[in-house]
Amino acid sequence: MKRITTTLLLSACIAIGLQAQSLKQQGTSADDIVPQGWSHYETTGDLNKDGLADLVLMATPNFKEHIVKRDDGYERNCNQPVFAIYLATADGHLKLWQQYGELLPADDIDNEFCSWNFTFDITERGALNITVQPECSAGSYFTHIDRYTYRLQNGDFYLIGQESEDIQRNTGDVEVVSENYLTWKRQVKKSNFSDDTPPTEKWTRLSKKPLERLGSRQLGSE
């Protein structure tokens, strides 16, 4: 009975410790919100058009069980990134609007040659752009980049545009597919960066459907 009680207490302490190491519900800056030791990337801009600078950030925990150390000493952080949106308040604080635990993919522990690269920004008109790109240090002639554009409307962030870019390093072929969910048009551009082949462009119409909410799928997983 004593051993069981001790085990339960230890499990509870671990759970409380993990829960304590999470993004704050509000703060004055990203450094104030993100737990110490977590890496983070941030951008600011007016998402809800109230004249205040909102905060969008990606924070990666430093839990040791998901950190892989190579023989040469290099450490790979394979923890699941956390994506969060904070809206600014009139008193100078940033209040958590929504947190997405699996919006962005984590690096694969078993694949030391490939990792994910993420960038994002907020446009002057309040649109949120997110770029997702897998990067491999060896054995890849192919590069793929996904770009997503979201806008706050009707109480949530909805996907209003998406673009995918495929680049073949060995042949020089480049294909960019852009979809606009406000005009419901699709553009396909093809070119080649290694020869003088004239670029081509083709437009088609998309079938209308309900706009996709941010967080309804993992980005880069198509």
Side-chain angles (χ1 to χ4, degrees), residues 103-214:
L103 178 70
L104 304 175
D107 286 351
D108 186 352
I109 290 179
D110 298 321
N111 188 349
E112 63 178 292
F113 299 107
C114 295
S115 60
W116 290 96
N117 183 47
F118 312 107
T119 58
F120 42 89
D121 65 84
I122 301 171
T123 69
E124 291 184 358
R125 300 182 66 178
L128 171 61
N129 294 320
I130 303 174
T131 300
V132 180
Q133 180 181 5
E135 294 184 339
C136 296
S137 58
S140 175
Y141 290 103
F142 177 78
T143 299
H144 181 83
I145 306 172
D146 286 312
R147 303 180 180 94
Y148 309 85
T149 300
Y150 293 87
R151 186 173 68 183
L152 181 61
Q153 59 185 49
N154 301 323
D156 209 336
F157 284 87
Y158 290 91
L159 184 68
I160 60 172
Q162 181 174 341
E163 180 179 275
S164 63
E165 181 176 359
D166 292 320
I167 303 171
Q168 295 282 355
R169 294 194 183 99
N170 55 338
T171 64
D173 290 332
V174 180
E175 181 180 81
V176 180
V177 179
S178 302
E179 296 184 343
N180 187 317
Y181 305 130
L182 298 179
T183 61
W184 297 102
K185 292 182 179 180
R186 186 175 193 261
Q187 179 194 48
V188 179
K189 296 169 62 177
K190 294 184 178 181
S191 60
N192 189 292
F193 63 77
S194 62
D195 59 32
D196 297 327
T197 303
T200 63
E201 182 179 303
K202 182 180 180 180
W203 287 88
T204 56
R205 284 198 169 274
L206 296 167
S207 299
K208 291 185 178 181
K209 59 183 180 180
L211 296 179
E212 179 183 299
R213 292 174 184 262
L214 178 64

Side-chain angles (χ1 to χ4, degrees), residues 8-9 20 31 38 71 79 132 145:
L8 290 174
L9 287 173
D31 291 334
W38 290 24
D71 294 337
N79 279 279
V132 180
I145 306 172

